[in-house]
Amino acid sequence: MKNVRLVLIASLLAFTQLSFAQTGKIRGTTFDRSNGEAMWGVQVFVVGTQVGAAADFDGKFELTIAPGTYTVQAKFVGTVSVNIENVVVKAGEVTVLDAIWMEPAVSELEDIVVTAEAIKTTDIALLTAKRKSTNLIDGISSQQIKRSGDSDVAGAIKRVPGVSIQGGQYVFVRGLGDRYTKTILNGTEVPGLDPDRNAIQIDIFPTSLIDNIIVYKNFTPDLSADFVGGTVNIETKDFPDEKTMNLSFSLEYNPSMHIRNDFRGYEGGGTDFLGFDDGTRGLPFDGRTGDIPSPILRDPVTESITRSFDPTMATQQESNFANISLGFSIGDQIDWKGKKLGYIGAINYNNTSTFYEQAVDGASVKPTEDDDFALISDTRFQGALGIRDAQLSGLAGLSLKSDKNKYRFQAMHIQNGTERAAQRTRVRSNNNFNTARVDNLEYTERFLTNFLLAGEHYFNGNESQLEWKVSPTFSTINDKDIRITPFTIDDGVVAINPQEGGEPNRIWRLLTEQNYVAKVDYTQNFAFRGRDSKFKVGASNIYKTRDYEIQNYVTQIRGNQDLLNLDSDPDRIFAEENIWTADRGTGVYVQDNFNLSNAYEGRINITGAYAMSELALTSKLKTILGLRVEQYDQWYTGVNQAGANPNDPTGKVFNDDKVLSSFEFFPSVNFIYNVFENSNLRASYAKTIARPSFKEKSTAEIQDVLTGRTFIGNIDLVETNIENFDIRWEYFFGRGETISIGAFYKDFTNPIELVRSDRAANDFSPQNVGNAEITGVELEVRKNLAFITPALENLSFISNITVTDATVNLTPLEQIGRINGLRTGEEFSLTRDFVGQPPYIVNASFAYTDFENFWEASVSYNVQGRTLAVVGVNRTPDTYNVPFNSLNVNIQKSFGVDGEHTFGLRVNNILGDLQEREFESFGSANQIETRRDPGTSFRLKYSYNFLR
């Protein structure tokens, strides 16, 4: 009986497939032009047949019909009926009508029918959402990403008005850095992968997984109150309207970086190419469990532990190849028990190498005498730096939709491994004068795993909606076996000199973070004075934990170094014959240098709730009023430097102590005035907050061994309160065209900035500084150039410009420090620039699109003005990021009957500009803090769509 049942099921599935092969399907989405939302209940049918269906709560519909060419009509009471002609249906295939826009009818006494075309781009839908949104939003669609040729989100998001990227990884909105810009994934928070940052690295998200990127620029109560510059929401793809299966491959070549025989690297593990270490760099001894015996004790354990360390300490010259990228994705939706079951899967792999022949990092200070102006070099690193990066990511998702419910489950995993190898000359010129050749080996592995379970439920048609999301995220970042070997050069003698050049060091930094998010939102539609309005309430809870530690080991030499025959070769340090033994009594041995102050645990819990209403006060004026409340609690376990010594009375010990707690109200009001058709005037006010990160509000001291800079946590940090004001006028011409101009003002109380130490130019820590203000204007233009001549109908100009004025009022303590650092003739000011805030950001591009002949191309330019990076005090000067002029070209051409084969060429940094950060002081030439030459790169890409 069981076998008979299986045969019947198999026969039914086969019959279903055969039936579909003999027919085709038409799928599409209906939208309400008056509010830009998906339109429920629209009747869609094939003219001249009995085939029809009603659009569901997502505006989606599906028609099954025999192959042929048809006219599809969409009708709804009170709207103009829409006819779409020449819809071609092929056997076994799906024809997609991406967007059908339903216009309100002027008169209900006659049946008006217009002929339209289905829109084949997400740009229009995104701009319509922008026009109708109750929030001030900007964004970029998957179609724009495709045209630009960007391979990751960091490259794509730079094209959003007022958005810039620092270090190729971190989002700045309106010039405000990662502390003031939040990145969320599918509407939920995800933890960062870098303990040095308050935000996630967005270059880990390949664009092939992305549907849209939306940037919210003003606060509404349904968003987290930790909102200042903006919130970036990365929406991954849901199930598609048609079956897709795509394979892509790209090759990127940079003449200054690739196919070189002098690339710097070192021998790593067997799985480095997959983005994780195979255990080669594993921690051989846990410094928390006890000390490594001193060689004075002649304990053989000292020898065995020393031998357990990987003997590789030197960089080596290697050959490298061009950058490679591979991607595969698949997706579809099927009928299952009267419901729609959708699935999507994607896997991406990137393997890149970066080489800087002369990577420069330095630190400079002001002279001790006020009438001396020229900055003095304190420390300078210069030499070759090689970076290998491997990233493997995957996404899998299922969606189930019925008439009134939709469920979504998604899992995403990203793993990334980065190897750095540098051999550079270090010159110390201010104190402890010496020159050293330093070999630096690093490896960082990162893992991020995110799960999303979400539901949408509709009641009374679309009158009520309940949405909920549960999303846990688990992330790990391990700096594994960082190795630093300085050989001091003194009158031609090359040796390890602990007093001058320092000792060889090995460091492990281990971080794990867990993030649990749950949120629920309920929306009720109602009529206010006869006009459509909404009321929305919701609640959320975010719980985060972090565990971080640094394990540090010093390599020392017992006895006469000359007897070891090191020959200035770092690999000779751990040579068999040079290891200390109890019998010999001399040689190299390892001592653990674990410090309790460099290990901490943290917990954060944020409970929030809100209520807001969207009221249509008149036919032209809409207001959104709301209030959010949040209870924030932060706990810390750790000790400060003095606390690591139980006999030091100044020590501070924290044992899951609550170090920050607040209950705050966050009001928000937005007004939208429809000046005339397709034109809005927006104004808003909101109170928001910015909070210190785990690492900032800590006692940890973390060194960047490549640059020699040390971050020092500040357990006394408090929250930053912000008052936000926005106004914007926008006009939408038509298909994907718009112009807008806006202004914003932000007032900061207790802003947090990185301030350099007054004692060491390479040390800095976060500090609450004086109150600050930012005033800015934004201009965006998207215009097709057909108005000049019809010959330019395929060419569009897209540009956005942000100009700001940002100042920080000096606190009395900072005033003293700035006065102490004044040079003769230099005027003292009670204000200074705001850290991370550029005076201007410019994005401009020309985009060419010819759908009929499968051509797409763009020329894009991006730059941001000179920006304060770190605040100086006393003799340590300010540092500024130098403008980087980025000019790129992308060309794509598809071939085949349906354009299933696509070839692309992208050229990056055509101008060959340098990435630089400089020290700046009155009366002195600027001195380099960091300099990298990215060169000009050329990327060839091929993709194949199997199902077109």
Side-chain angles (χ1 to χ4, degrees), residues 247-258:
L247 177 68
S248 64
F249 169 77
S250 70
L251 196 67
E252 183 176 28
Y253 171 69
N254 187 319
S256 66
M257 294 189 179
H258 298 134

Side-chain angles (χ1 to χ4, degrees), residues 233-273:
N233 186 24
I234 302 172
E235 286 283 349
T236 54
K237 291 182 178 179
D238 207 335
F239 62 88
D241 287 324
E242 59 183 329
K243 189 173 184 179
T244 63
M245 185 183 296
N246 187 273
L247 177 68
S248 64
F249 169 77
S250 70
L251 196 67
E252 183 176 28
Y253 171 69
N254 187 319
S256 66
M257 294 189 179
H258 298 134
I259 322 295
R260 299 182 65 116
N261 294 322
D262 58 348
F263 184 85
R264 286 289 167 178
Y266 72 97
E267 185 177 351
T271 57
D272 286 3
F273 74 100

Side-chain angles (χ1 to χ4, degrees), residues 443-481:
Y443 186 80
T444 302
E445 62 179 12
R446 302 179 180 92
F447 303 95
L448 184 144
T449 303
N450 171 262
F451 298 98
L452 172 67
L453 182 62
E456 298 176 32
H457 311 279
Y458 294 82
F459 310 95
N460 300 322
N462 271 19
E463 292 303 307
S464 305
Q465 178 183 354
L466 178 69
E467 292 186 71
W468 55 268
K469 293 178 180 177
V470 177
S471 181
T473 306
F474 309 94
S475 64
T476 302
I477 175 170
N478 294 323
D479 294 324
K480 305 185 73 171
D481 203 0

Side-chain angles (χ1 to χ4, degrees), residues 366-376 822-824 921-922:
K366 299 177 183 179
T368 55
E369 299 298 327
D370 296 346
D371 54 358
D372 286 344
F373 297 94
L375 287 171
I376 299 172
L822 287 177
R823 306 291 93 182
T824 302
S921 179
F922 178 79

Side-chain angles (χ1 to χ4, degrees), residues 492-537:
V493 177
V494 181
I496 293 175
N497 188 332
Q499 286 72 37
E500 291 189 1
E503 299 164 307
N505 267 267
R506 306 183 75 142
I507 299 171
W508 279 258
R509 291 194 287 243
L510 311 172
L511 179 149
T512 59
E513 186 165 325
Q514 298 179 10
N515 200 83
Y516 302 92
V517 179
K519 60 182 300 188
V520 60
D521 302 281
Y522 176 78
T523 304
Q524 177 66 54
N525 296 325
F526 66 96
F528 179 75
R529 296 181 178 178
R531 302 180 182 89
D532 291 341
S533 299
K534 294 181 181 180
F535 178 72
K536 189 175 182 181
V537 294

